[in-house]
Amino acid sequence: MKFTRKCFLGLVGATALSATLGAMPAFAQDVTLRMHQFLPDQANVPKLILYPWADRVEAASNGRIKIERYPSMQLGGKPPELMDQAIDGVADIVWTVVGYTPGRYPSTEVFELPFITTSARAASSAFWQMFEKDMKDGEFKDVKILGTWVHGPGVLHTSSPVTTPADMEGLKIRGGSRLANVLLEKVGATPVGMPVPAISEALSKGVVDGTTIPWEVTGALKVPELVKNHTEFDGNALYTLGFVLAMNKDRFDSLDPELQKAIEDNSGLEFSIFAGGTQADADGPARQLAVDAGNNIINVSGDGIQTWKDASQPVYDEWLADMKSKGIDGQALIDEATALMDAYSE
């Protein structure tokens, strides 16, 4: 074969281009991330929070990131295993209840204390700020946290009417976290720990007489069809649970800076407030389903609230002692969370 100058220059150019592309595989290659969580697709959290978040990240990456969505534990395992799945790389991103791993992230329990949270947005804002300041390089050092939030006011959904703690005597009630179970015990119920997906079957089979969940998820679980009594509380929430959107740290670190930016620009404080607020906003439509079904909705207010506060005070006493045994200043966490929530302006 005869090499002309033109052929030589073409070969040099092709070789240079090949070398350049070979040196930058991360910039040219699309990335697929697997997002795993425990609720069905039609539930409010995936539908209104997680999937819109994934859509925004994909758009911000100009299509270079694809986020596969796996609802209802489709990648295997049980909801309490989700955090370890993120840490171990079984999934790239998970959404989970922090309280599903009792004692592992003790500082976050401050937002689960009875009657402490003022609103989902205020508490979610405080949660992220305290995470950034105190938890990021401590309790959560093994995982990349993308969002922290709480749900709207916790509600009791029961087979028999509940107005006072005395009405809880003898009832088996599902609790969603360690502190929720302690609260149930202190107000006279028998706590039964189980993740959200198990609630419908447990209610239908009489394994439990009621459950602690916010309004927004009751529709997906058909709770208004399974129990006919719902107890709400004026003012601060009887209880809340904390959530995190977490990512495998090595997977995040392996992404090029542009893709990291696409994720981080859609995560953090503003996303946390959006997530908590969106979840709380979904309470209204879900509550209406119970109203339309003719269910009995009980509102506890005034002196009735104080009765519940008095009954739940031991939860604080035991939690503060437990935090002290772990070398954590629980009262300082309460003071900080309260101050941050009070300072929040919606």
Side-chain angles (χ1 to χ4, degrees):
M1 178 179 180
K2 184 177 180 182
F3 280 84
T4 64
R5 183 173 181 273
K6 183 177 180 181
C7 290
F8 174 76
L9 291 176
L11 180 61
V12 170
T15 302
L17 177 60
S18 176
T20 301
L21 292 175
M24 299 191 304
F27 288 88
Q29 187 176 7
D30 289 344
V31 172
T32 298
L33 303 175
R34 295 167 300 164
M35 181 165 66
H36 199 203
Q37 53 90 19
F38 57 85
L39 288 178
D41 277 329
Q42 69 271 21
N44 284 316
V45 170
K47 182 173 65 177
L48 303 177
I49 299 170
L50 301 180
Y51 295 173
W53 175 85
D55 291 342
R56 289 193 296 271
V57 169
E58 288 176 343
S61 74
N62 294 316
R64 291 183 57 207
I65 292 177
K66 175 179 173 54
I67 299 179
E68 295 178 344
R69 299 108 196 261
Y70 294 92
S72 304
M73 302 304 298
Q74 288 181 353
L75 291 180
K78 299 178 180 179
E81 299 169 7
L82 280 164
M83 187 62 83
D84 280 327
Q85 289 186 355
I87 293 170
D88 297 338
V90 173
D92 300 303
I93 301 168
V94 303
W95 171 69
T96 189
V97 178
V98 184
Y100 280 175
T101 50
R104 192 168 180 178
Y105 305 102
S107 298
T108 68
E109 288 186 336
V110 67
F111 295 103
E112 298 179 13
L113 289 167
F115 299 106
I116 194 170
T117 60
T118 55
S119 77
R121 287 180 172 86
S124 299
S125 173
F127 191 173
W128 180 264
Q129 291 178 74
M130 292 174 69
F131 158 75
E132 281 270 272
K133 176 175 173 285
D134 301 316
M135 306 175 201
K136 183 177 181 179
D137 298 318
E139 294 169 22
F140 289 102
K141 61 181 173 55
D142 295 327
V143 68
K144 171 75 174 176
I145 297 295
L146 306 174
T148 62
W149 68 91
V150 305
H151 59 59
V155 180
L156 298 173
H157 310 271
T158 52
S159 56
S160 57
V162 170
T163 302
T164 70
D167 298 325
M168 298 284 280
E169 289 288 343
L171 296 182
K172 295 174 293 182
I173 307 294
R174 174 266 176 187
S177 70
R178 185 183 77 88
L179 276 193
N181 287 335
V182 173
L183 170 63
L184 291 171
E185 184 181 279
K186 299 306 178 186
V187 297
T190 299
V192 180
M194 65 177 67
V196 165
I199 290 174
S200 298
E201 183 177 4
L203 287 173
S204 66
K205 292 184 175 180
V207 174
V208 294
D209 303 303
T211 185
T212 59
I213 48 173
W215 276 115
E216 61 87 14
V217 75
T218 55
L221 299 175
K222 302 187 184 303
V223 170
E225 301 172 26
L226 297 168
V227 296
K228 300 301 180 182
N229 301 281
H230 314 273
T231 305
E232 305 173 319
F233 296 80
D234 277 354
N236 289 9
L238 173 66
Y239 68 89
T240 54
L241 296 186
F243 306 95
V244 292
L245 185 64
M247 184 172 181
N248 178 270
K249 207 166 190 177
D250 290 340
R251 189 70 167 119
F252 179 83
D253 291 342
S254 73
L255 302 178
D256 70 59
E258 287 185 5
L259 298 189
Q260 290 182 353
K261 187 175 187 298
I263 292 173
E264 292 202 309
D265 283 354
N266 288 282
S267 306
L269 178 61
E270 289 186 10
F271 168 66
S272 298
I273 296 169
F274 161 80
T278 299
Q279 204 164 340
D281 291 346
D283 284 342
R287 182 183 186 276
Q288 190 60 44
L289 295 176
V291 173
D292 294 343
N295 288 8
N296 179 31
I297 299 179
I298 299 162
N299 181 263
V300 180
S301 60
D303 293 341
I305 295 287
Q306 191 58 50
T307 302
W308 284 86
K309 285 184 175 180
D310 293 343
S312 62
Q313 181 57 43
V315 179
Y316 278 82
D317 299 336
E318 292 181 10
W319 184 76
L320 287 169
D322 184 47
M323 290 300 103
K324 185 176 181 179
S325 73
K326 292 178 167 65
I328 298 171
D329 188 340
Q331 188 60 54
L333 289 175
I334 291 172
D335 294 343
E336 185 176 8
T338 300
L340 288 169
M341 286 188 286
D342 287 346
Y344 180 77
S345 178
E346 295 192 18

